[in-house]
Amino acid sequence: MAATKIIDAPRNGHEMAPLNTRARGDGTHGVTIVLTAPQRNSVQSVDIPGEPDRAAWSGKMQFFLSIIGYSVGLGNIWRFPYLCQQNGGGAFLIPFMIMLVLEGIPLFLIELGMGQRMRLGALGVWNTIHPWLGGIGISSCIVTLFVALYYNVIITWVFYYLFNSFRYPLPWSTCPTNGTGFELEECAKSSETTYFWYRTTLDAAPSMDEPGGLKWWIVLCLLLSWTIVFFIVMKGIQSSGKVVYFTSLFPYIVLTIFFIRGITLRGAGAGLMHMYTPKVEKLLEPTVWLDAATQVFYSFGLAFGSLIAFGSYNTPKNNCVRDVLLVSVCNAVTAIYASVVIFAILGFKATVNVDRCVASNTDILVKNALLPFKNASSEDYDSVMQKINGTEFEALHLSECSLSKELDNAAEGTGLAFIVFTQAIVELPGAPFWAVLFFTMLLSLGLGSQIGILEGMLCTLFDIDIIKRVKKQHVTGVVCLFCFIVGFIFCTGAGEYWLKMFDSFAGTIGLVVVALMEMIAVIFIYGHERFTEDIYQMTGYRPGVYWQMTWRYIGPVIMVCILVSSIVFMVIRNPTYGAWNAEKGIVEQKDYPNWVMGIALAMILAGVLPMPIVFLMRSFQCLKVDLDIHQGSIRRNETTASTKEMIDNDDDDDDEDDENDFSGPALGGHVKTQSDFSDEDEEDKPMTMRMMMMRSTTINAATPLKKLGGNHLNVPTSRKQNYKKDAYDV
């Protein structure tokens, strides 16, 4: 027996190195066998794909709170009520719940289950299923990057409001005055909170063609936002997992306080009635269904790759089905709960605006002797207004005071939370305290979601071998610095208009396409039977008819219909954005400039094209050097000097048939799986957990070499300690 040499190679399970079939010159043949201990996180002592040393959650509560903190974010307060406002109030709940049941929950289980099964990021998961599907992970990463760019801008605005909340009185409680003591005309024509949002905070430009310069106060807040995000995520879940206990629980406490206060405000009942009165005609517009599907993705964080990353940190025996159902119920209840608070305050804001409008009209009527005095009853006011015709109405410069109209126009773009809530806060005793509490809640919600978004993107990047060699702190720092620099576009006077454009294009169609391809990849390429078996092996629960129908038929059909109809509708009706008109004190709808639409189209293509490009390049073998390998857990290991010459000699020879190639993954050779020994139609199909649990042949000194063709080598069970990775030259 020759001297024993130790090969330093990553633990990839039980591995077998090449059996050198050529004589070494002394009439003998070299045989190298590498043994490693089984992974601790294996299911029933079988090898699990992925990284053996992958980070793991410290406990079940940390994982659950991380998922809740990621999925329950600013979208539940900023996006969901805004979409309800734009899409018919309570009518939007109908497509939202349909998409939640038929699309959101099934896709949620696919992402969480595949991440837990493969223990890889988004790029590694789809490459493992089939190398032609690697573009799904790239597209998901690009779309996630676009969303991360503008999502952190909202956190930037929250920081600015939070700092101003320590002032007394609050700066948005009154209109600023000019040198003569009169209120500024722009503020008088709008409102105190609207003026503070558009003029003081954003210094809004009249259009996207006239963006103005950078606003230094927004740039500083953006720098602070990315700095905090960097320090939270730079060490992965080891650092971010400790923050979720605050970011996940604190918002519910504050939301409950505002709920109690909101329902006691005057006009809250009108707002709630507006919410629960659906406008059914809105359901005929396909963009409503697209917004509903997109909101489901935002609510759960689907198609971002973050759920796959979170699932990959779980133990293989975690009950992911139970997690999916619990998070789904919690998420839906939170969205509706937050909407009740929002619409209660919307009703209060609308009532205040109507009272202000009536008071203004009353002054005009009294000056023109149409009303005897200002304290006239509402009946007298209504009777006088009914007698005034259209010509007199315009000549007197009267305004239409309609509660329903105010409710329809109450939400003004992405400033919903910054306009509506801030007006309600002013009415509360000790307003600065409530403002600090509220914006701290928004900050915790935003950070919780941003942590998950970046974790999904970074996990995808670390599936690439070249990036994996760099420290995570360095990669995270480069990503955050890049996002900060690109984020300057949101720090101009047209920053909110750009954010609306990113939100309308980068985070909608791209997400729908990625989610559709994920469902097709798992159900029709990986195989719904195999995935069902995987879920059963991990949880003990076998998905039934509901899951099979939504996975195989209902979900893909809904996604295709929404995607096609939304694209057609978007082409027919030119998209618009809300621009601030300082002279009138209102928001006006304007068409996007052609050059902006070109950028929007480029973002959509950037999030979609990687899928067909990777498919074509790999199917035609155009990629000579591929950064990622089909089997995500298999890497070519470095070797010692004693074995390097043998490997180089092997590489110089012509390729032999797989059945004659005994090289294993430790030295870059072909990996033999169960599919290599089954029918030809099974060759390209991934192994299920049941297949991997098949018992391997125990190797001893008398075992013939022809039995060494399996994927794994069993370590004798009599030894409890870990095995060193020894290479024996026979």
Side-chain angles (χ1 to χ4, degrees):
M1 182 70 68
T4 299
K5 296 181 290 296
I6 297 177
I7 300 176
D8 293 327
R11 295 182 298 171
N12 290 322
H14 302 163
E15 299 173 344
M16 183 174 66
L19 306 181
N20 190 12
T21 58
R22 290 187 302 276
R24 294 189 290 185
D26 55 358
T28 62
H29 295 270
V31 177
T32 305
I33 298 176
V34 179
L35 299 180
T36 58
Q39 301 177 30
R40 291 183 300 172
N41 291 334
S42 60
V43 178
Q44 298 182 5
S45 299
V46 299
D47 190 28
I48 296 299
E51 304 170 12
D53 298 327
R54 191 172 187 83
W57 301 108
S58 61
K60 185 68 176 179
M61 182 60 67
Q62 186 185 74
F63 163 71
F64 188 76
L65 290 180
S66 296
I67 292 288
I68 292 296
Y70 165 63
S71 58
V72 179
L74 285 174
N76 295 91
I77 291 181
W78 162 66
R79 184 178 177 85
F80 184 79
Y82 167 70
L83 291 177
C84 286
Q85 186 69 24
Q86 296 295 315
N87 296 301
F92 185 73
L93 296 178
I94 299 175
F96 174 75
M97 296 304 297
I98 292 176
M99 292 299 164
L100 181 68
V101 175
L102 299 182
E103 190 66 28
I105 296 177
L107 188 56
F108 192 1
L109 181 58
I110 286 178
E111 292 200 3
L112 201 62
M114 290 305 298
Q116 180 174 314
R117 167 67 179 85
M118 299 291 184
R119 295 182 63 78
L120 295 167
L123 186 60
V125 164
W126 306 120
N127 276 337
T128 303
I129 292 178
H130 200 288
W132 293 359
L133 301 176
I136 299 179
I138 300 176
S139 295
S140 175
C141 185
I142 292 176
V143 174
T144 303
L145 173 63
F146 289 149
V147 175
L149 283 173
Y150 77 81
Y151 202 89
N152 216 39
V153 176
I154 304 173
I155 301 177
T156 299
W157 296 337
V158 172
F159 268 120
Y160 184 76
Y161 267 79
L162 179 62
F163 296 149
N164 281 277
S165 298
F166 290 96
R167 298 168 57 184
Y168 184 83
L170 292 174
W172 57 81
S173 60
T174 57
C175 283
T177 57
N178 52 26
T180 60
F182 293 98
E183 294 181 350
L184 294 178
E185 184 178 3
E186 183 180 357
C187 183
K189 290 183 177 180
S190 55
S191 66
E192 298 87 347
T193 55
T194 305
Y195 176 85
F196 185 83
W197 168 246
Y198 282 105
R199 183 54 53 209
T200 306
T201 304
L202 302 178
D203 194 14
S207 66
M208 299 185 75
D209 291 319
E210 307 172 41
L214 293 175
K215 313 304 176 185
W216 61 268
W217 56 93
I218 301 296
V219 174
L220 292 179
C221 291
L222 182 64
L223 176 61
L224 176 63
S225 300
W226 279 114
T227 302
I228 292 178
V229 169
F230 165 74
F231 282 109
I232 292 177
V233 302
M234 67 176 183
K235 293 184 179 180
I237 61 174
Q238 284 82 3
S239 56
S240 63
K242 301 175 182 178
V243 182
V244 297
Y245 289 94
F246 172 78
T247 60
S248 300
L249 299 177
F250 180 74
Y252 286 96
I253 299 175
V254 179
L255 199 61
T256 301
I257 296 174
F258 275 93
F259 170 75
I260 297 174
R261 185 66 182 96
I263 59 177
T264 60
L265 294 173
R266 180 169 52 93
L272 295 178
M273 287 297 297
H274 179 75
M275 172 185 175
Y276 289 109
T277 304
K279 299 177 182 178
V280 184
E281 64 275 7
K282 283 284 187 178
L283 301 181
L284 300 178
E285 299 180 9
T287 53
V288 174
W289 294 86
L290 175 63
D291 287 339
T294 305
Q295 177 57 27
V296 171
F297 299 145
Y298 272 93
S299 296
F300 289 120
L302 299 173
F304 287 102
S306 302
L307 292 176
I308 296 178
F310 285 157
S312 68
Y313 302 137
N314 276 328
T315 59
K317 279 294 186 179
N318 177 65
N319 193 337
C320 54
V321 177
R322 180 186 58 194
D323 296 337
V324 167
L325 297 178
L326 288 177
V327 174
S328 301
V329 172
C330 182
N331 202 312
V333 171
T334 303
I336 298 176
Y337 182 42
S339 297
V340 170
V341 177
I342 288 289
F343 276 90
I345 300 179
L346 279 176
F348 167 73
K349 181 177 181 293
T351 302
V352 171
N353 289 342
V354 168
D355 292 344
R356 184 183 300 169
C357 175
V358 171
S360 177
N361 287 347
T362 301
D363 291 339
I364 296 176
L365 294 177
V366 170
K367 290 179 180 179
N368 290 273
L370 296 176
L371 270 179
F373 46 86
K374 291 184 177 181
N375 296 329
S377 63
S378 58
E379 291 80 6
D380 296 336
Y381 171 81
D382 293 336
S383 62
V384 172
M385 291 295 296
Q386 291 176 0
K387 296 178 182 179
I388 298 176
N389 55 35
T391 305
E392 295 176 343
F393 190 90
E394 295 180 359
L396 295 174
H397 301 287
L398 296 173
S399 302
E400 182 181 358
C401 304
S402 172
L403 183 60
S404 60
K405 182 179 179 180
E406 288 291 336
L407 286 171
D408 290 336
N409 298 329
E412 298 170 328
T414 54
L416 173 65
F418 301 101
I419 296 176
V420 175
F421 268 94
T422 49
Q423 185 170 352
I425 289 173
V426 172
E427 305 296 329
L428 300 175
F433 167 77
W434 294 102
V436 171
L437 195 64
F438 172 69
F439 289 110
T440 304
M441 178 194 71
L442 289 186
L443 182 62
S444 62
L445 286 171
L447 288 176
S449 297
Q450 184 73 352
I451 290 170
I453 291 173
L454 278 184
E455 185 63 38
M457 181 172 62
L458 293 173
C459 186
T460 301
L461 292 177
F462 277 96
D463 282 339
I464 303 175
D465 288 338
I466 292 180
I467 299 180
K468 196 172 185 178
R469 299 171 185 174
V470 185
K471 289 185 178 181
K472 187 166 186 177
Q473 292 90 329
H474 298 164
V475 176
T476 304
V478 171
V479 170
C480 292
L481 179 61
F482 171 79
C483 293
F484 168 69
I485 295 175
V486 177
F488 283 168
I489 193 176
F490 303 105
C491 299
T492 64
E496 193 207 12
Y497 312 151
W498 281 105
L499 189 143
K500 174 62 177 176
M501 190 273 287
F502 269 70
D503 185 51
S504 299
F505 296 99
T508 52
I509 294 180
L511 285 177
V512 176
V513 175
V514 170
L516 175 62
M517 293 306 301
E518 287 182 353
M519 186 167 286
I520 293 176
V522 174
I523 303 305
F524 297 103
I525 299 178
Y526 184 78
H528 66 91
E529 298 96 344
R530 296 171 184 265
F531 184 62
T532 301
E533 179 67 17
D534 290 341
I535 296 297
Y536 175 72
Q537 292 291 336
M538 291 188 295
T539 66
Y541 167 78
R542 190 178 299 276
V545 178
Y546 160 72
W547 300 101
Q548 302 297 332
M549 293 297 294
T550 52
W551 284 339
R552 299 167 60 184
Y553 306 110
I554 300 177
V557 169
I558 290 177
M559 299 300 296
V560 171
C561 293
I562 292 175
L563 182 61
V564 173
S565 60
S566 299
I567 293 176
V568 172
F569 188 81
M570 189 174 296
V571 172
I572 295 176
R573 181 176 298 179
N574 192 30
T576 61
Y577 68 99
W580 177 248
N581 189 324
E583 296 180 356
K584 299 180 180 179
I586 60 174
V587 175
E588 293 181 336
Q589 296 299 318
K590 293 186 177 181
D591 294 334
Y592 283 108
N594 292 332
W595 62 277
V596 174
M597 291 302 298
I599 296 177
L601 180 61
M603 288 194 304
I604 295 175
L605 295 178
V608 175
L609 285 183
M611 290 180 281
I613 289 176
V614 172
F615 170 79
L616 293 175
M617 296 186 72
R618 283 182 169 172
S619 60
F620 290 102
Q621 299 182 355
C622 298
L623 292 177
K624 299 301 182 182
V625 180
D626 199 347
L627 297 180
D628 195 84
I629 303 177
H630 168 47
Q631 294 287 347
S633 61
I634 301 169
R635 301 287 184 262
R636 182 179 179 90
N637 299 335
E638 297 297 331
T639 59
T640 60
S642 61
T643 59
K644 184 177 186 302
E645 181 178 358
M646 177 180 66
I647 299 172
D648 292 340
N649 292 335
D650 287 345
D651 292 340
D652 292 336
D653 293 339
D654 295 335
D655 294 337
E656 299 179 358
D657 294 336
D658 289 342
E659 59 189 16
N660 296 324
D661 182 9
F662 294 96
S663 59
L667 297 178
H670 172 67
V671 181
K672 297 242 181 225
T673 63
Q674 293 291 339
S675 59
D676 291 322
F677 302 97
S678 57
D679 296 337
E680 292 183 0
D681 58 345
E682 296 290 334
E683 288 184 358
D684 294 332
K685 294 183 179 180
M687 296 180 62
T688 62
M689 298 192 67
R690 175 175 292 180
M691 295 169 61
M692 291 192 301
M693 290 173 60
M694 298 180 63
R695 302 179 60 183
S696 304
T697 304
T698 304
I699 297 178
N700 50 44
T703 303
L705 292 180
K706 66 180 181 179
K707 292 186 179 181
L708 299 179
N711 185 32
H712 302 90
L713 297 176
N714 267 356
V715 179
T717 56
S718 60
R719 296 181 62 181
K720 300 298 183 182
Q721 67 272 20
N722 293 335
Y723 285 85
K724 287 186 176 180
K725 197 167 293 187
D726 295 336
Y728 301 94
D729 274 357
V730 182

